[in-house]
Amino acid sequence: PQVCWLAPEQTAGKQKPYMYTQGQAVLNRSFFPCFDTPSVKCTYSATVQVPEGFTAVMSATSWEKQKDNTFVFKMSQPIPSYLIALAVGDIVSADVGPRSRVWAEPCLIEAAKKEYDGVIEEFLAVGEKLFGPYVWGRYDILFMPPSFPFGGMENPCLTFVTPCLLAGDRSLVDVIIHEISHSWFGNLVTNATWGEFWLNEGFTMYAQRRISTEVYGLAYTCLEAATGRALLRQHMDNTGEDHPLNKLRVVIEPGFFFFLGVNPDDTYNETPYEKGYCFVSYLAHLVGDQKKFDAFLQAYVNQFKFQSITADDTLSFFLEYFPELKEKGVDSIPGFEFDRWLNTPGWPPYLPDLSPGEQLMRPADELAELWAADSLNMEAIEAMDITAWRTYQLVYFLDKVLEKSPLPEGNVERLSKMYPKISKAQNAELRLRWCQIVLKNNLEAEYSKVKDFLQSQGKQKYTLPIYRAMWGGSEVARALAMETFSATAPQLHVNVQNYVKKILGLEVAE
């Protein structure tokens, strides 16, 4: 299950096959013999021979090409087994910074270079200023074939990402800040068990938003965090707040796990990310001074680097670092007990203040209101200039339009004509939401955009919601779902194929 073999039609170039591995959470055991647990870290080396015309890349600190198209890799820092990754394909590279290059199929390399030139170094430098030295040497990005089902995988030295990030106008470059933040939280300091995945993701979300605040300002970061909070709300509404997976400390019972086949991957959801972010924000709130909390994060990384730890290690270190907070008993404030954060499912007891984002949210809210009205006030609509809005402001606006959909007759057609920046966007986050709006409003004239988007990529986070929307829609929408799936199934990752089959009520092959 770990080694993905792609036929040429599943790649961007459609000429040559491609192969990659995806280890998280417990799949690398099917790739090489290993202690497949994040509690064990080791260095590794590998010798990989590939056919002429192919290149191999790995998550390694050094590599060299030898004769007979043989590549030799070394990872000189200890890492958990899930971060060992290999990709082989028709791939080339281009430098985009003093310690960064982009890798991609030849047909994508120009777009990748243009999008990321000079960008990564800025994010790395801010990360180093906040969290301490970047220890991995290089930070390269591999743009995967369109069928890659994930947004990004933070393999050290070489992050694997979806080609959906190549929007053509740098409007999604900030997505990479999350993967860069894993260089400190996750890759350097690692959760010892998958039951405490929030230690990787909650701290990474916090770090991502700290970097984003330094680069883009607080208002924009609060807006992005508000979209994250909305996803958490959606997830908890779907599962029920008291679902056992909506705890930060998830119990993955060994006996239960092996006999009933519970895969840690099935515990993957918004909770470790967004509820984890809220808990780290709560710790910062207890400290009450951003500079002091930044200094704590540096000390934390320095204390536990190259180790795997538990939440108890993290929280004990926090209380030792701030003895005055320990003395006050902040770990047992009624309603906010550390134990409650970790072991009680449900909505976070503390939410960080996102009000600085209001200045960007308010106009988007007002504009969505205007478009949902029975008779459109075109004067007021035209008075609102959205040309300078950045991705998350547009995403927030479209989420509000989607909430209010279906809109009164004819409104979506007019919205589409008025904002080609949205309805003709190449940005995947905007395309996803536009497709959902088109389906919710039965705008059959634009169903072709839904099909185009599903043909252009196979990312799980985009593909599944659109199939759900089609299957929950009209007869025409359901026919479109069947037709699109039969055309695109071969280019999708097998897991995504199976998820779509479940949505469409088709037989899933064992």
Side-chain angles (χ1 to χ4, degrees), residues 94-101 116-118 121 138:
D95 286 329
V96 292
R99 47 185 162 171
S100 303
R101 59 173 76 99
Y116 280 88
D117 211 5
E121 187 57 34
R138 296 200 62 82

Side-chain angles (χ1 to χ4, degrees), residues 61-228:
T61 40
S62 70
W63 67 283
E64 57 170 311
K65 186 178 176 182
Q66 299 180 342
K67 58 182 195 312
D68 301 333
N69 224 28
T70 299
F71 295 84
V72 178
F73 301 95
K74 278 195 177 65
M75 168 47 86
S76 54
Q77 316 276 28
I79 58 170
S81 56
Y82 74 88
L83 290 174
I84 297 176
L86 164 70
V88 179
D90 178 12
I91 41 184
V92 292
S93 68
D95 286 329
V96 292
R99 47 185 162 171
S100 303
R101 59 173 76 99
V102 286
W103 294 85
E105 294 179 61
C107 60
L108 290 177
I109 195 71
E110 272 314 305
K113 182 174 167 43
K114 206 171 125 215
E115 201 89 351
Y116 280 88
D117 211 5
V119 170
I120 295 169
E121 187 57 34
E122 180 185 10
F123 297 154
L124 282 174
V126 175
E128 288 192 297
K129 191 180 89 185
L130 290 169
F131 314 120
Y134 177 78
V135 303
W136 307 101
R138 296 200 62 82
Y139 184 88
D140 291 359
I141 304 180
L142 172 63
F143 288 90
M144 301 295 281
S147 58
F148 185 60
F150 312 103
M153 180 59 214
E154 66 272 12
N155 304 312
C157 309
L158 183 68
T159 286
F160 288 16
V161 295
T162 171
C164 293
L165 295 191
L166 301 175
D169 57 2
R170 296 197 163 185
S171 56
L172 286 176
V173 292
D174 55 342
V175 174
I176 208 73
I177 299 176
H178 182 86
E179 308 310 332
I180 286 174
S181 300
H182 273 303
S183 307
W184 293 273
F185 304 98
N187 296 4
L188 194 51
V189 181
T190 308
N191 49 227
T193 74
W194 291 118
E196 297 192 324
F197 186 44
W198 78 272
L199 283 176
N200 278 14
E201 294 300 348
F203 274 90
T204 294
M205 291 305 289
Y206 188 86
Q208 167 199 322
R209 287 169 182 158
R210 279 295 295 120
I211 294 175
S212 167
T213 300
E214 296 287 310
V215 177
Y216 298 115
L218 187 58
Y220 185 69
T221 302
C222 286
L223 177 65
E224 184 274 323
T227 60

Side-chain angles (χ1 to χ4, degrees), residues 23-45:
Q24 197 176 21
V26 289
L27 293 176
N28 266 345
R29 62 187 70 184
S30 70
F31 170 33
F32 60 94
C34 60
F35 294 106
D36 204 0
T37 160
S39 63
V40 176
K41 290 187 171 185
C42 63
T43 56
Y44 81 86
S45 61

Side-chain angles (χ1 to χ4, degrees), residues 5-21:
W5 303 92
L6 304 184
E9 63 263 27
Q10 291 173 291
T11 67
K14 313 265 188 240
Q15 302 300 309
K16 293 183 180 177
Y18 197 103
M19 170 267 179
Y20 70 89
T21 68

Side-chain angles (χ1 to χ4, degrees), residues 71 77 80 89 148 183 186 226 278 291 295 318 354 359-360 396 404 460 474 484:
F71 295 84
Q77 316 276 28
F148 185 60
S183 307
C278 289
K291 281 205 164 53
F318 174 78
L354 302 182
Q359 66 193 73
L360 298 175
Y396 182 85
K404 297 175 194 303
Q460 186 172 312
S474 65
T484 307

